[in-house]
Amino acid sequence: MMTTLQISSSSLFISFLLTLSLFVIPSLSSDSDPLQDFCIGDLKASPSINGFPCKSAVSASDFFFSGLGGPLDTSNPNGVNVAPANVLTFPGLNTLGISMNNVELAPGGVNSPHLHPRATEVGTVIEGSVFVGFLTTNNTLFSKVLNAGEAFVIPRGLVHFQWNVGQVKARLITAFNSQLPGAVILPNTLFGSNPEIPNAVLTRAFRTDDTTVHNLKSKFAG
């Protein structure tokens, strides 16, 4: 039979483990720290938890990238185009927990409401005037019109957007604390998913009718 002292000691030990887990578990929610100077990703191999396996033959070109230049083609319905520098386009970022985007918007162009599930975003306007906004989990909008040289930050996982309110093309450079931040683009996700979200769900959620939902899905199909 366990004594009172033994029971108390066991309870303290369990409490210690539970407390420790509060500090350990959150650390798993972002990119892991690298265990070597670099690990150029072998994109031909299957990715692991911390990115891609390291390729064996490394050269100077693995550490440089020219894909952030422009101009980009913004002649699409949203008037926006994004050139990413993430681990899939720039394997030198593998395991380093960082990536960048070049974002260009035609006059009136919108980078649709979206979120990055794996990263906080920081960005700066290089050209033009851009209305930048993000929404908190209690539906508060924080927004401002930014001009060249001004910067913004979007906390991880929050819905945000950019809108070119100027008369000329706008350009932003954004950076993320993940080698592959991911992007959930809300209109595409809700109305262009495969398989489709049932119309009954969307009509109730948006308090609209089946015809409207069907019309929206037709714009994002494929």
Side-chain angles (χ1 to χ4, degrees), residues 17 22 27 32 39 44 60 83 87 94 97 100 119 134 149 157 163-164 166 184 186 189 202 207 213 217 221:
L17 290 179
L22 295 177
S27 69
S32 302
C39 174
K44 296 179 181 179
V87 68
N94 192 47
M100 300 178 71
F134 73 89
W163 170 33
N164 183 356
V184 178
L186 298 188
T189 299
L202 295 173
R207 302 173 188 176
V213 169
K217 283 186 174 182

Side-chain angles (χ1 to χ4, degrees), residues 35-57:
L35 300 177
Q36 61 282 311
D37 289 347
F38 55 82
C39 174
I40 307 301
D42 182 358
L43 301 187
K44 296 179 181 179
S46 299
S48 60
I49 293 177
N50 190 31
F52 290 87
C54 310
K55 74 174 189 177
S56 55

Side-chain angles (χ1 to χ4, degrees), residues 43-126:
L43 301 187
K44 296 179 181 179
S46 299
S48 60
I49 293 177
N50 190 31
F52 290 87
C54 310
K55 74 174 189 177
S56 55
V58 177
S59 65
S61 63
D62 290 317
F63 300 96
F64 302 94
F65 181 71
S66 58
L68 288 177
L72 303 178
D73 182 9
T74 56
S75 58
N76 54 66
N78 284 358
V80 63
N81 204 343
V82 178
N86 56 44
V87 68
L88 299 181
T89 60
F90 187 9
L93 299 177
N94 192 47
T95 75
L96 298 182
I98 192 170
S99 58
M100 300 178 71
N101 281 346
N102 172 31
V103 183
E104 298 187 15
L105 299 131
V110 171
N111 194 6
S112 296
H114 63 283
L115 61 92
H116 303 290
R118 297 185 288 274
T120 291
E121 174 180 351
V122 63
T124 184
V125 177
I126 304 300

